[in-house]
Amino acid sequence: MGEQDKEGLTKLELQIMQVIWRRGTSNVGEVQEGLEQQLAYTTVQTMLNILHRKGKLKRKLQGRAYEYSATVTEAKALSHALRDVVDRMFGGSSEELVMSLIKNKQIDAKKIAELSRRLEEAEESGGER
């Protein structure tokens, strides 16, 4: 894995990536338009350049403007972010994450049973967890 894979995404970077994942290849104006919050064109441009430097986006000059596209999938970014949270907040233990959800009443016995059933089905069908 390259160094860029180790760099997480800030909240704003994630919002911009979500626009790119949803819309596909986009220029600065299209990303700006796709964001829920109002940001200056130059702010969006700066953030796209940061994401490009981090290796999360690639860009191609189209006329006088760059078009940006994702180099990392949404699933890979989610996996990386989750692994980071588990490592930093729960000492690398997925079990501690689940126990924290239970203790804080963010997941109940009914949901755990449903997740267990889905896990068993995935294992039986040879799918990923």
Side-chain angles (χ1 to χ4, degrees):
M1 264 190 220
E3 187 64 32
Q4 73 247 13
D5 292 334
K6 294 185 172 114
E7 293 185 49
L9 296 172
T10 67
K11 185 175 180 179
L12 181 55
E13 288 170 347
L14 179 58
Q15 290 171 354
I16 288 171
M17 290 299 295
Q18 287 169 333
V19 172
I20 301 272
W21 289 322
R22 188 172 57 247
R23 291 182 161 215
T25 301
S26 304
N27 63 32
V28 177
E30 291 166 338
V31 172
Q32 181 186 30
E33 188 179 283
L35 290 168
E36 290 180 19
Q37 66 202 52
Q38 293 287 317
L39 291 176
Y41 182 94
T42 53
T43 301
V44 175
Q45 187 174 41
T46 298
M47 295 307 300
L48 288 165
N49 286 331
I50 289 168
L51 287 163
H52 177 255
R53 279 197 308 273
K54 283 185 166 186
K56 306 297 183 185
L57 295 175
K58 61 183 176 183
R59 66 184 182 190
K60 181 179 180 184
L61 195 58
Q62 290 291 94
R64 294 176 44 209
Y66 281 111
E67 287 192 336
Y68 296 85
S69 57
T71 60
V72 63
T73 65
E74 190 169 8
K76 184 171 181 171
L78 173 63
S79 175
H80 179 273
L82 185 56
R83 180 80 262 157
D84 184 55
V85 167
V86 170
D87 288 346
R88 286 186 305 113
M89 303 299 292
F90 301 99
S93 171
S94 300
E95 293 83 2
E96 288 299 320
L97 167 65
V98 173
M99 289 307 300
S100 177
L101 291 172
I102 292 167
K103 283 186 225 172
N104 290 300
K105 300 188 185 326
Q106 294 178 348
I107 192 169
D108 59 19
K110 184 177 176 184
K111 185 51 108 173
I112 291 171
E114 166 67 13
L115 292 172
S116 293
R117 184 189 61 74
R118 288 172 56 186
L119 178 60
E120 286 173 12
E121 287 175 1
E123 287 174 346
E124 288 171 6
S125 67
E128 292 183 14
R129 292 191 253 168

